[in-house]
Amino acid sequence: IPLVFIDKGVLGQTTNLISSDNQEGMYQATGYLMDMGHEKIAYVSHGFGFGTSLRDRFRGFANCLTERGIP
């Protein structure tokens, strides 16, 4: 049976996997909002206990703000 996993594969299995770079994606999304003139941007999440993707997204958000001199 052909399988394609999304976001998370199975250890030891050779299958097709589609994933995203959560950190870079959030970095770009935050930068886009800032480039459009938005100044009050919030990161809202249900917590970091659900895997690394949420932590990666927050890192991308925080990195973009830091690089642009926003606390």
Side-chain angles (χ1 to χ4, degrees):
I1 300 173
L3 293 173
V4 176
F5 287 95
I6 299 174
D7 279 336
K8 191 173 188 177
V10 176
L11 188 62
Q13 296 292 316
T14 303
T15 60
N16 295 309
L17 172 66
I18 299 170
S19 64
S20 60
D21 184 337
N22 288 293
Q23 185 171 339
E24 180 63 22
M26 184 59 83
Y27 179 92
Q28 289 181 17
T30 303
Y32 173 79
L33 291 172
M34 295 175 77
D35 291 343
M36 297 301 294
H38 298 284
E39 296 178 355
K40 295 181 180 180
I41 304 169
Y43 179 87
V44 180
S45 172
H46 61 284
F48 295 124
F50 295 98
T52 59
S53 63
L54 294 176
R55 282 187 284 277
D56 290 344
R57 290 177 194 153
F58 181 76
R59 260 188 237 116
F61 174 76
N63 288 345
C64 186
L65 295 179
T66 299
E67 286 182 11
R68 292 178 183 229
I70 298 173

